[in-house]
Amino acid sequence: MVNLNKNKSSKISLSCLLLLFLQHLFSIGADNYNLYHAVEDLAINCGAIGNSTSDLDQTRRTWIGDNNSNDQFTLIEHEKDSVSASATQVNPSVKQVPYYTARLSFSEFTYSFRVTDGQKFIRLHFFPATYGYFDRSNSLFSVKAGFYTLLKDFNASAISEESFFREYCINVGQARSLNITFTPTLTHKLDSYAFINGIELVSMPTNLYYSKPGGEELKLVGHGNSFPIMNNTALETVYRINVGGSPISSEKDTGMYRYWDIDDSFLEKKYEHSLPAVYGSDLRPKYEIIPSYTAPDDVYLTARSYGMNATTNYNVTWNFKVDTKFIYMVRLHFCELELTLTEANQRVFQIFVADMLAEKRADVILWTGYNLVPYYKDYAILFDKSGSSKQLNLSIKLQPVQTRFAYDVILNGVEIFKVSDIGTGNLAGVNPEPRQSPPQSLVPPTKPPKRSKVTTVVATVAGAGSGIIVLSFICFLIFRRTTLASDNNRNSKLRHIPLAPSKSSQSYGSSLPSDLCRYFSLAQITAATYNFDEVLVIGVGGFGKVYKGYIDENNTPVAIKRLKSGSQQGAHEFKTEIEMLSQLRHLHLVSLVGYCNDENEMILVYDFMARGTLRDHLYDSDNKPLSWKQRLEICLGAAQGLHYLHTGAKHSIIHRDIKTTNILIDEKWVAKVSDFGLSKIGPTGMSQSHISTVVKGSIGYLDPEYYKRQRLTHKSDVYSFGVVLLEVLCARPPLLLSMDKHQASLVEWARGCHKNGEIDRMVDPFLRGTIVPQCLNRYIDTAFNCLLEDGNQRLSMNDVVWGLEFTMQLQESIEGGLEVVNKREEIALLKNSVNDVEENDVLFMSTDELSTRSKTSKMTTER
Ligand SMILES: *[C@@H]1O[C@H](CO)[C@@H](O)[C@H](O)[C@H]1NC(C)=O
Ligand SMILES: *[C@@H]1O[C@H](CO)[C@@H](O)[C@H](O)[C@H]1NC(C)=O
Ligand SMILES: *[C@@H]1O[C@H](CO)[C@@H](O)[C@H](O)[C@H]1NC(C)=O
Ligand SMILES: *[C@@H]1O[C@H](CO)[C@@H](O)[C@H](O)[C@H]1NC(C)=O
Ligand SMILES: *[C@@H]1O[C@H](CO)[C@@H](O)[C@H](O)[C@H]1NC(C)=O
Ligand SMILES: *[C@@H]1O[C@H](CO)[C@@H](O)[C@H](O)[C@H]1NC(C)=O
Ligand SMILES: *[C@@H]1O[C@H](CO)[C@@H](O)[C@H](O)[C@H]1NC(C)=O
Ligand SMILES: *[C@@H]1O[C@H](CO)[C@@H](O)[C@H](O)[C@H]1NC(C)=O
C-alpha cells in the first residue's frame, strides 16, 4: 500500500518535474513583479567624482561620487587628509563601479547621512588592492555606524584578494541622521590606514527582519524562550542562500539589492546529490501569507529535497561557519514545490539548528495551507558562551519523519544574521576569518561535480532523480562555460589606472599632424561649447564627456570629446586616435575634424552624428526600433568601414574595440565606425600574422583567442563584429550577468538557440515575421562564422561585407515577391546558403561565387 502510493506519486512528480525543468531551461528569465520600492536608495562610489553606473548592471543604478557632498550625505574629516584614488592593480573579476576607486586616510573620517527614520540596510564595499602609496597589507581599521561597531581592527586584505561586501541592518531613530566612521587602528602600526570603496544605504520594509511589536517572536532554539529582534539591535548578514538554485544578483533581488548565494559549498558532501528542484517560470509562488518582497521568486521556486527515499535515517545537512561569541538569527524559507502534495501530513520532517531540535514536525503545507505558498520561520541561536571567540559550524539538519505518503524533506532558502551585543552594540569579531563573499553580481559557481561522480549518481539514483541530475548537470556546464567566457571578457577591464593625475602631462602638439586636421584653440572650443555647458553633454564615458558644439560661425555641428586630463592612458589614446584618424577618410568611418591640446586639455572634434550610437537604436532607449532593412544597411556600412580599416588604409589597422556603442549613425542613417583610442597598426610583413599586446577591449565583445593568447589579429575585430551582428538581430546586450545562466552570454545563448533549431526565439520580437527565412539563415551563418573559436577559420571582413550584401539582396528579392520567378535557381541558391556551418569545407562561398549569385538574384528582382 505504502509502496504503491509512493511509486505513483514519484512517477507523477517525475514527469511534472522534468517538464517544468525543461520549461525553465528554455524560458526567458521571469521579471520581478513583486518589488519593494526603497524610500532611501543611496549608493556612494567612494573616491569617485560625479555619478557612475556599473556597465554590467542592467538596472543602471546610480552610484554617486563622494567628492561632492550633497543634501543626503557629507564627508567629514578632522584632518582633511583623506585621498581619493584608483586601485593600482586591478582584478578582472572585480566590478569597476564601485570597486576601482576608494577613499583612503591615515586618520579618521566620517560619512554623515541625512535619512528618514526606519530600518535600513548598510552595505560596505571593499576591494583591498594597493592604491598608490597605500599598500594593501597596511589597511587596519574599525568602522562604527552610530552606536554600533560594525568592524574592529579589520584587516581587509586578509579577507580576500577580490572585492567583497558586508551587509548590516540598522534602525535609524528620530534623529534622522547616521554617522558612519572609519578609524585607522594606530596601536599596531603607525602606517595603518582606513579605506572604503562603496557605501549603500537602502531602506527595508519595516519589520522584514526586525520583530513586529506584538507579533510572533523568534524561538530561542533549545531554550523554549522567545527572543525578539528589537529596534535597538543591529544585524549583520552572514549568509544568504538560495537553496538548490542559482545565485541571484543584487539587481535581481526584490528591490533591496540583496545578493543570494548558492548552497553547494555549505551542503555536507554526502548529500551533494540531494535533488535540486527547479520549477518553471510559468509558475508563480502565491504570496498569501508573507509579503512578495520577502525573497525573489527564484528562492521559493528552487529547493533541495532528498527524493522520496524510503528511509528516515538521514539528515540533509548544511554547515555554516560562525563566530560563537554572538547570538544568531536563522531564517529558513519554505515553499512546497511538489505539486502532487496538497495536504498536511504528507511531507513531514524534523529541523535541527546547531544540533538542537527547532521543529519536531515541520510540515510546510500545514503552515501554508497549500503548495506553492511561500513561508519562512525564524529561530534564534545562542551558543554556549565560553567567553572567547571561536569558529564553529552552525548546522542546519533536516531529517524526515515517517508518514503514510513520503519520507522527504524540503528547504528553499536560508538567511543567517549575527545579532549585535546588547550592551556594547558590537558586531565585530576580533580577527575576522576569511570568508568567501563574492562580488555582487559576478558569482563564479563552485567547482563542478567531477564527471565520474555524476555518472555514479546517475547510475545509482533511479527514475526522477537521474533525469533531473543529468539535466541540471548539463545546465551547470552551460553556466560554467558562460561564466568562464565572461570571466575572460571581464579581463578586458584590465586597464591600468594610475593613482593621481601627474603634473607632467606633456603636450603632444608638436608631434601631431596639423596638416591633416585642424588645430583648435581652447578659446574656440569653449566658445563652441558655451564653456563646456552640461546641457550640451551628449555622452559620458570613462574617458570624460562628449559635448555637442557648433563651429564655423555656428554653422557646423560637431561632437567635442574632452578627455579627462592627466591620465597617461588617456594621453596615449588621444595621440593614437589623432594619428590614426587624420589619415583615414571613409564614408563609414567617423571623421576627425580637429583637436585641441592647449593647457594640457585633450580635446577631439568630430563630425556630429545626429542619431547617436547603434545601441541606442537597439534596446534600452525610447528610439523607434529599426526595421530589418535599416539594420542590415547599418551592419553593412559598419562592415565596410572596418574592412577599409583592415585593408584599405596606408597601414592596416586593427580597431580593437568594435561594439554597438562605437558604431555611430548620422542624420541619413549612414553607419560610421568610431573611437580609435585602442586601435593598433596591424601586422605588416608576411612573416608576422599577429601582434602581441596587452588585452584591451570591451566586455562581451572580446575575442576569446585574443584573450587567451594575447595575440591580436584582424580576426579579433571580426569576432567582435560577429557579436555586433547578433546584438543587432536579438536586440540585447552581449552580456547580461543577471540573466539565467544559460542566457547570460549572448553568443552562448544564440549558439544554443541555433543548435536547438530555435532561431525564432532569439530574433528581436519587433522583427518577427519581417525577415525572409533564407535571409535570416544567411545572416546567422555570417555571424557564427565571425564567432568561430579558431581565428583562422573566421571570415575576413571582406567575406563579411559580401555575406551581408548577399543577405540584403536575398531579403530584397524574396520580399519583392519575385522568388517564384525562377524556382529552380532559387532552390539551388538557398541550398548553398543555408545550414552549411557544420561542414568546414563549405564554410562560406567564395566571393566570386557570391557575386555571381548576388547578380543572379538582382536580375531576378529586376525582372
Ligand atoms: C547624481 O545622481 C543623483 C541621484 O540620482 C542626482 O540627484 C544628481 O543630480 C546626479 N548628479 C549629476 C551631476 O548628474
Ligand atoms: C574633490 O576633487 C577635487 C579635484 O577635482 C579636489 O581638489 C578635492 O580635494 C576633492 N574633494 C574631496 C573631498 O576629495
Ligand atoms: C521599530 O521602528 C520602526 C520604525 O522605525 C517602527 O515602525 C516599529 O514599530 C519599531 N519596532 C518596535 C518593536 O518598536
Ligand atoms: C593583513 O593580513 C595580511 C594577510 O594575512 C598580512 O600580510 C598583513 O600583514 C596584515 N596587515 C596588518 C596590518 O595586520
Ligand atoms: C555626526 O558627526 C558630526 C561630526 O562629528 C557631528 O557633528 C554630528 O552630531 C554627528 N551626528 C550624529 C547623529 O551622531
Ligand atoms: C540528525 O541530527 C540530529 C541532531 O544532530 C541527531 O540528533 C539525529 O540523531 C540525526 N539523525 C540521523 C539519522 O543521523
Ligand atoms: C564544519 O563543516 C565542514 C563541512 O561542511 C567540515 O569540514 C568541518 O570540519 C566542520 N567544522 C567543525 C568545527 O565541525
Ligand atoms: C536512498 O538513500 C540511500 C542513502 O541513505 C542511498 O544509498 C540510496 O541509493 C537511495 N535510494 C534511492 C532509490 O534513491
Side-chain angles (χ1 to χ4, degrees), residues 174-224:
Q174 294 301 325
R176 300 191 173 185
S177 92
L178 178 68
N179 283 353
I180 302 185
T181 301
F182 296 80
T183 315
T185 305
L186 299 175
T187 46
H188 296 52
K189 263 171 137 184
L190 279 175
D191 55 355
S192 300
Y193 66 92
F195 78 101
I196 180 73
N197 299 80
I199 303 178
E200 282 177 74
L201 198 65
V202 179
S203 0
M204 66 167 87
T206 304
N207 303 330
L208 171 64
Y209 295 118
Y210 285 85
S211 302
K212 278 190 195 65
E216 200 182 332
E217 290 171 350
L218 289 70
K219 216 158 66 176
L220 194 55
V221 178
H223 292 74

Side-chain angles (χ1 to χ4, degrees), residues 675-790:
D675 203 344
F676 294 76
L678 292 180
S679 303
K680 278 255 187 232
I681 304 283
T684 41
M686 289 302 284
S687 60
Q688 206 191 1
S689 65
H690 71 273
I691 40 185
S692 297
T693 161
V694 182
V695 176
K696 288 185 182 177
S698 293
I699 289 179
Y701 296 92
L702 205 63
D703 169 13
E705 200 180 49
Y706 167 39
Y707 167 73
K708 274 184 238 148
R709 296 164 56 195
Q710 319 241 316
R711 287 152 56 120
L712 182 67
T713 71
H714 294 102
K715 296 298 179 72
S716 310
D717 280 350
V718 173
Y719 183 91
S720 309
F721 194 75
V723 179
V724 168
L725 289 179
L726 288 183
E727 205 177 333
V728 165
L729 179 68
C730 312
R732 59 152 274 188
L735 263 191
L736 274 176
L737 287 166
S738 50
M739 290 281 275
D740 278 4
K741 42 203 169 192
H742 48 282
Q743 296 185 15
S745 150
L746 170 62
V747 174
E748 295 293 325
W749 174 65
R751 278 199 184 120
C753 293
H754 185 243
K755 220 163 110 200
N756 296 324
E758 299 184 309
I759 286 175
D760 281 349
R761 254 169 52 80
M762 57 196 250
V763 176
D764 181 358
F766 176 81
L767 293 177
R768 290 200 185 130
T770 69
I771 312 180
V772 173
Q774 297 89 330
C775 164
L776 179 60
N777 281 329
R778 166 50 76 200
Y779 181 90
I780 289 175
D781 282 1
T782 308
F784 283 134
N785 280 311
C786 292
L787 294 167
L788 293 173
E789 294 290 321
D790 178 0

Side-chain angles (χ1 to χ4, degrees), residues 29 87 213 240 270 277 328 345 354 386 422 465 581 629 649 731 743 826:
R240 177 171 287 129
K270 60 179 161 177
Y328 288 86
N345 258 321
S386 53
I422 304 286
L581 264 182
K629 240 188 243 162
Q743 296 185 15
E826 185 61 48

Side-chain angles (χ1 to χ4, degrees), residues 76 78 110 112 175 177-179:
I76 301 167
H78 307 290
T110 297
S112 185
S177 92
L178 178 68
N179 283 353

Side-chain angles (χ1 to χ4, degrees), residues 24 30 242-245 277-285 287 296-303 335 337 372 412:
H24 185 80
N242 175 16
V243 174
V278 184
Y279 281 76
S281 55
D282 52 334
L283 284 188
R284 295 285 195 196
Y287 295 96
D297 289 355
D298 214 34
V299 169
Y300 293 114
L301 290 177
T302 60
C335 181
L337 294 177
L372 282 177
N412 304 61

Side-chain angles (χ1 to χ4, degrees), residues 69-80:
S69 300
N70 61 20
D71 52 348
Q72 287 174 297
F73 74 96
T74 334
L75 176 62
I76 301 167
E77 299 175 69
H78 307 290
E79 308 285 336
K80 299 246 178 277

Side-chain angles (χ1 to χ4, degrees), residues 634-653:
I634 287 166
C635 289
L636 179 59
Q640 286 167 333
L642 197 51
H643 173 49
Y644 169 77
L645 273 186
H646 284 183
T647 56
K650 191 165 109 200
H651 300 288
S652 167
I653 290 166

Side-chain angles (χ1 to χ4, degrees), residues 136-140 154-159 188-189 191-192:
R136 73 185 295 271
S137 64
N138 288 338
S139 78
L140 195 66
F154 180 66
N155 178 353
S157 51
I159 305 285
H188 296 52
K189 263 171 137 184
D191 55 355
S192 300

